[in-house]
């Protein structure tokens, strides 16, 4: 397929893309099978990515970041997602960094962001609980002020990067019964933290190398200086403010996975023979590939528009929700057909499209389910 060069790309980004692609090929692809077995990517790769300048790429240099913009982040998501590298949770790391960047005090930013950019602190977002996912008003994890500390009790579930995380943007109730106004975010540094425990790394359908975990807090004491923005009750506002960025990021990963899957499938059908010819020659194969390439192109054009809007600061929550829902649904359709065109090999984990198929399913669930996306979109009509 003719590669569509996104309008937001330029020469500097092309060079950046080349070095990210080389890094992903050399440092991640060969380790992915081992990471999937052990259910996490380990801390070393985070340090290496930090050393290369591939973390917090859109965070200003004064806070230790690379000083680029969202396009640099996109390049890293694309080069990993195209190759099915789903264990390295750069997305949630960046979302966590953006909470600090957009809502943190100057002191919080200077203290924590450089350590996130170097890969020393791996970031996570602790929102979901066993009893509250879509309905965040139902959160129970409690943080009570006690002198210069908050004392935290509760538990979280499905936390990406949970096993490796050194810093969790933890969504807590600071004033139960006060609705949205009773919610705050506390930046919890986990190292040596008494009363903090990581439960199981969860056994998932896909994203096997991602250390999605349960987290437990029992009388955990965190300095009050780690309350994000140092004003209580801002949690919901802070979460809502950053939604377009998070949803765009999911859509970016989705379209990049589609592009990778379609490319792998085109190569496969040209090699594979049946009934004396390559399966690429069957009309069904040609038409299916034409459909997949078209759907992927439509997704790319929409996502590119979202990327440009994130860079310009104009991406609204409704458009971002459309992109998250439509791209993740289409991602699953497209990769399902790619599996079909691979026949039995498409069901084998050693094939990229197999791993991508299992990885894709959750894209429709996390980051707000696609039903919640439709709620958001319909309210604006
Ligand atoms: C692999 C993975 C990684 C994740 N990573 C993180 C993370 O890093 N941090 C974090 O905090 N969370 C994370 N999550 C949690 C994820 O965001 C939630 O699972 C998701 O928001 C849905 O919440 P729930 O599981 O409680 O489902 P529920 O809210 O119980 O939803 C169940 C079903 O009901 C539907 N539903 C709910 N409300 C409505 C409504 N109003 N209208 C119509 N339908 C509705 C849903 O769409 C869904 O189909 C992750 C989950 C997974 C599986």
């Amino acid at each position: 397929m003719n590669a569509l060069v996104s309008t937001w790309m330029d020469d500097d980004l092309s060079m950046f893309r080349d070095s990210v692609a080389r890094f992903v090929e050399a440092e991640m692809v060969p380790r992915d099978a081992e990471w999937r077995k052990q259910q996490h990517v380990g801390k070393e790769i985070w340090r290496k990515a930090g050393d290369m300048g591939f973390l917090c790429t859109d965070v200003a240099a004064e806070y230790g970041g690379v000083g680029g913009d969202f396009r640099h982040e996109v390049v890293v998501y694309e080069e990993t997602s195209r190759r099915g590298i789903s264990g390295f949770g750069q997305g949630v790391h960046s979302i966590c960094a953006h909470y600090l960047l957009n809502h943190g005090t100057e002191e919080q930013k200077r203290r924590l962001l450089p350590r996130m950019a170097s890969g020393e602190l791996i970031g996570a977002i602790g929102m979901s609980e066993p009893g509250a996912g879509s309905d965040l008003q139902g959160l129970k994890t409690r943080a009570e002020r006690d002198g210069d500390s908050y004392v935290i009790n509760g538990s979280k579930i499905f936390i990406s990067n949970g096993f490796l995380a050194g810093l969790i943007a933890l969504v807590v109730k600071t004033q139960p019964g006060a609705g949205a106004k009773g919610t705050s975010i506390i930046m919890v540094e986990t190292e040596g933290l008494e009363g903090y425990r990581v439960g199981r790394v969860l056994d998932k359908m896909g994203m096997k190398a991602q250390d999605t975990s349960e987290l437990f807090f029992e009388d955990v004491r965190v300095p009050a200086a780690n309350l994000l923005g140092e004003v209580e009750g801002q949690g919901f506002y802070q979460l809502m403010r950053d939604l377009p960025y998070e949803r765009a990021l999911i859509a970016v990963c989705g379209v990049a996975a589609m592009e990778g899957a379609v490319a792998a499938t085109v190569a496969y059908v040209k090699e594979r023979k049946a009934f004396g010819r390559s399966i690429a020659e069957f009309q069904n194969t040609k038409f299916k590939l034409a459909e997949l390439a078209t759907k992927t192109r439509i997704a790319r054009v929409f996502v590119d528009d979202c990327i440009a809007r994130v860079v310009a600061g104009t991406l609204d929550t409704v458009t971002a929700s459309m992109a998250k829902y439509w791209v993740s649904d289409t991602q699953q359709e497209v990769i399902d057909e790619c599996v079909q065109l691979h026949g039995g090999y498409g069901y084998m984990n050693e094939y990229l499209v197999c791993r991508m198929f299992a990885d894709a399913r959750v894209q429709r669930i996390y980051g707000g389910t696609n039903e919640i996306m439709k709620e958001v979109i319909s309210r604006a009509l």
Side-chain angles (χ1 to χ4, degrees):
M1 182 162 74
N2 287 339
L4 176 79
V5 178
S6 297
T7 46
W8 49 265
M9 281 295 292
D10 62 23
D11 290 347
D12 285 348
L13 282 160
S14 287
M15 275 160 52
F16 182 68
R17 185 184 291 287
D18 287 345
S19 64
V20 173
R22 274 198 304 276
F23 179 77
V24 174
E25 286 286 345
E27 301 288 346
M28 296 188 174
V29 172
R31 300 199 170 90
D32 192 39
E34 177 195 328
W35 289 345
R36 284 175 182 264
K37 266 197 206 111
Q38 71 185 23
Q39 295 184 296
H40 64 86
V41 303
K43 289 192 173 167
E44 194 194 345
I45 190 68
W46 283 94
R47 283 297 206 160
K48 285 187 180 170
D51 287 348
M52 293 294 293
F54 298 153
L55 296 177
C56 298
T57 58
D58 58 355
V59 170
E62 62 175 313
Y63 301 124
V66 173
D69 59 40
F70 186 60
R71 297 172 306 162
H72 295 82
E73 284 291 294
V74 166
V75 165
V76 183
Y77 301 136
E78 287 183 348
E79 296 307 317
T80 46
S81 299
R82 273 179 194 157
R83 293 169 176 84
I85 300 294
S86 55
F88 183 68
Q90 185 219 352
V92 282
H93 182 77
S94 296
I95 295 169
C96 180
H98 272 249
Y99 284 147
L100 276 167
L101 196 63
N102 295 331
H103 313 292
T105 62
E106 198 55 29
E107 184 278 327
Q108 290 170 340
K109 292 187 220 185
R110 292 196 185 276
R111 177 158 53 90
L112 297 169
L113 283 171
R115 293 163 66 204
M116 294 193 79
S118 71
E120 177 200 331
L121 276 184
I122 299 165
I125 308 153
M127 221 176 324
S128 305
E129 296 182 2
S134 304
D135 181 12
L136 289 175
Q137 303 277 3
L139 293 182
K140 295 232 164 0
T141 297
R142 175 86 168 97
E144 266 178 287
R145 184 77 188 239
D146 180 26
D148 284 345
S149 310
Y150 279 99
V151 179
I152 303 174
N153 280 287
S155 68
K156 296 287 172 181
I157 196 164
F158 305 139
I159 306 308
S160 303
N161 294 349
F163 174 67
L164 295 173
L167 184 69
I168 304 164
L170 191 72
V171 185
V172 293
K173 283 277 175 206
T174 37
Q175 208 187 333
K181 290 202 174 82
T183 306
S184 305
I185 299 178
I186 297 182
M187 305 305 293
V188 177
E189 287 188 69
T190 64
E191 199 180 319
L193 189 63
E194 235 175 277
Y196 169 71
R197 185 166 67 81
V198 181
R200 291 176 301 145
V201 174
L202 298 163
D203 181 16
K204 303 186 292 299
M205 176 193 293
M207 297 187 75
K208 297 281 188 189
Q210 168 47 233
D211 50 307
T212 318
S213 305
E214 290 176 292
L215 309 178
F216 298 95
F217 300 83
E218 214 181 306
D219 291 328
V220 169
R221 222 164 241 283
V222 176
N226 280 29
L227 174 69
L228 185 63
E230 284 193 346
V231 181
E232 269 189 20
Q234 296 294 303
F236 255 91
Y237 158 75
Q238 292 163 340
L239 292 173
M240 295 304 135
R241 157 76 172 69
D242 287 15
L243 286 179
Y245 180 87
E246 300 170 24
R247 293 183 179 161
L249 183 163
I250 292 173
V252 167
C253 293
V255 72
M258 284 187 234
E259 288 165 346
V262 172
T265 305
V266 169
Y268 181 82
V269 298
K270 286 181 181 165
E271 289 291 317
R272 179 74 178 167
K273 301 258 179 323
F275 300 95
R277 51 191 175 145
S278 102
I279 58 169
E281 291 172 54
F282 298 123
Q283 190 187 51
N284 177 66
T285 307
K286 291 193 275 191
F287 283 14
K288 283 293 174 203
L289 285 173
E291 289 169 17
L292 302 185
T294 306
K295 285 181 184 172
T296 302
R297 177 65 62 90
I298 294 169
R300 166 54 66 190
V301 172
F302 185 15
V303 170
D304 277 353
D305 181 59
C306 291
I307 293 167
R309 285 171 194 269
V310 174
V311 175
T314 57
L315 184 67
D316 59 286
T317 300
V318 172
T319 309
S321 303
M322 289 173 173
K324 192 274 175 184
Y325 126 64
W326 191 82
V327 171
S328 61
D329 273 8
T330 309
Q331 175 188 0
Q332 185 148 37
E333 275 170 42
V334 164
I335 298 177
D336 182 43
E337 282 297 347
C338 291
V339 169
Q340 191 68 18
L341 288 170
H342 275 71
Y345 296 92
Y347 199 67
M348 298 296 126
N349 271 317
E350 67 185 277
Y351 280 78
L352 177 67
V353 292
C354 175
R355 302 191 298 275
M356 282 184 160
F357 178 73
D359 291 351
R361 185 63 184 86
V362 76
Q363 287 260 100
R364 298 168 56 204
I365 297 172
Y366 60 22
T369 65
N370 285 4
E371 292 71 35
I372 296 296
M373 297 305 105
K374 291 176 198 175
E375 271 292 321
V376 171
I377 297 160
S378 63
R379 269 184 231 144
L381 300 178

